Amino acid sequence: TVAIPAEKVKGFVTEATQDLYLISNPEFAQGGFIFDSPHDNSTTFMVQHNSTPSQSRGKWSEPVMRMTLPMQVTASKAIASETIRRVDPGGGTSFHDMTLHMQPFAHPPQDIASFEGSIAPLFLVACAMFPFVVQISEVVQERELKLRQALAAMGLHDTSYWLSWHIYQSAMAFLNALLIYCFGCIFQFKIFVKNDFGVVLLTFWMHGQALVGLAFIASTVLARSTQAVAMGFATFLIGFVLFFMVGLFEFPFGALDGTPPFSYETNITTSVLQLKTG
């Protein structure tokens, strides 16, 4: 066992003196022990540690696992070894021969705010909506240049016209979703790295498919292709407002306080028991 150098250890007579030293020297000591011996054969202690969490490269340190528990285990080993030595001086048994393993207790996932989680969704939506603006502009421009009427005069049916547009835009939506995923992995965004490739790709592609139909509807109410940019910005602005309302302020779902407006029963006998006891 590697011992801590004596010059790195500082002792105090009372707890008040130790507290005064820690307050006067912030971010200097990681922790300390407060020992108490009710009688000669019993020694107890408390661990006083620096519980300020620190963040490095997007990962938070755990003061309890990193500092408190190792200090507790070290002190427990030393006290147990000293107790064994007093009881059996020649036994040669040492508590240091035992190995203790520590694992964090199971708990629900903690929601930690991050720059990626707060800002990245807006840019991802903007990237996914870029083909939406281009599609509206191209469809309206064809109508402005009378290209559709010319194709209809050559015998093109409306079904073939809109089907060709849908197939082309679906392929572009798939390519756009694939590029978003590739660049997300390059920049090591957790939403891409820690989730299944098929799920993420299908999510962005289905979003693009929804925008394809919305673009066809929007193109019918626009008279000029230059209005496509304004339409796309207005659509993005609506999504921007909804993102803050639902994602950050939890409106209107926050009013439910996590409780849906209906209840589930574990089984059909639960309601019966409630009726009987009521």
Side-chain angles (χ1 to χ4, degrees):
T1 303
V2 179
I4 301 177
E7 61 272 11
K8 297 293 184 179
V9 180
K10 193 173 185 65
F12 302 93
V13 179
T14 62
E15 298 182 25
T17 308
Q18 177 174 315
D19 294 338
L20 181 62
Y21 176 82
L22 293 176
I23 295 175
S24 303
N25 299 272
E27 299 183 3
F28 183 78
Q30 291 290 344
F33 294 99
I34 301 175
F35 292 97
D36 183 25
S37 297
H39 50 81
D40 295 339
N41 295 327
S42 175
T43 302
T44 61
F45 66 92
M46 291 188 299
V47 177
Q48 188 174 9
H49 66 95
N50 183 3
S51 60
T52 304
S54 60
Q55 184 183 18
S56 177
R57 298 183 179 273
K59 295 183 179 180
W60 291 88
S61 63
E62 299 179 356
V64 175
M65 295 296 296
R66 185 174 58 89
M67 181 56 58
T68 307
L69 291 182
M71 292 178 63
Q72 181 179 0
V73 170
T74 302
S76 300
K77 284 183 177 182
I79 293 174
S81 299
E82 180 66 18
T83 303
I84 294 175
R85 186 186 63 81
R86 290 180 180 180
V87 175
D88 186 13
T93 304
S94 175
F95 198 76
H96 292 287
D97 298 334
M98 300 184 63
T99 302
L100 301 179
H101 297 278
M102 298 175 293
Q103 293 294 334
F105 189 78
H107 59 82
Q110 299 176 348
D111 295 331
I112 300 177
S114 63
F115 177 80
E116 175 186 339
S118 302
I119 304 301
L122 294 176
F123 288 94
L124 293 176
V125 171
C127 293
M129 289 189 61
F130 182 76
F132 171 75
V133 179
V134 176
Q135 180 185 350
I136 296 178
S137 178
E138 291 179 347
V139 174
V140 177
Q141 188 177 16
E142 278 195 356
R143 188 171 66 245
E144 285 182 322
L145 299 176
K146 307 298 182 181
L147 295 179
R148 181 181 174 186
Q149 287 82 345
L151 293 173
M154 297 173 60
L156 180 66
H157 296 283
D158 289 343
T159 303
S160 302
Y161 174 80
W162 291 113
L163 182 61
S164 62
W165 262 117
H166 189 80
I167 294 176
Y168 170 74
Q169 293 298 336
S170 297
M172 294 302 296
F174 180 83
L175 180 61
N176 184 64
L178 184 61
L179 290 176
I180 291 176
Y181 180 83
C182 292
F183 281 102
C185 291
I186 292 175
F187 290 106
Q188 293 295 300
F189 289 157
K190 294 180 181 180
I191 187 177
F192 300 99
V193 177
K194 294 190 175 183
N195 290 283
D196 182 71
F197 165 74
V199 173
V200 177
L201 182 66
L202 188 63
T203 299
F204 280 98
W205 189 36
M206 290 295 101
H207 177 265
Q209 289 289 88
L211 292 179
V212 169
L214 183 61
F216 287 150
I217 297 176
S219 64
T220 60
V221 299
L222 298 180
R224 293 174 303 198
S225 59
T226 54
Q227 298 174 342
V229 178
M231 174 65 73
F233 180 77
T235 306
F236 175 77
L237 184 61
I238 295 174
F240 180 81
V241 174
L242 293 177
F243 169 78
F244 278 98
M245 289 177 57
V246 179
L248 298 182
F249 300 106
E250 298 182 355
F251 178 84
F253 305 104
L256 300 176
D257 196 21
T259 304
F262 46 83
S263 60
Y264 291 102
E265 301 293 349
T266 55
N267 50 52
I268 57 176
T269 60
T270 304
S271 299
V272 177
L273 293 175
Q274 291 178 351
L275 291 175
K276 289 183 177 180
T277 54

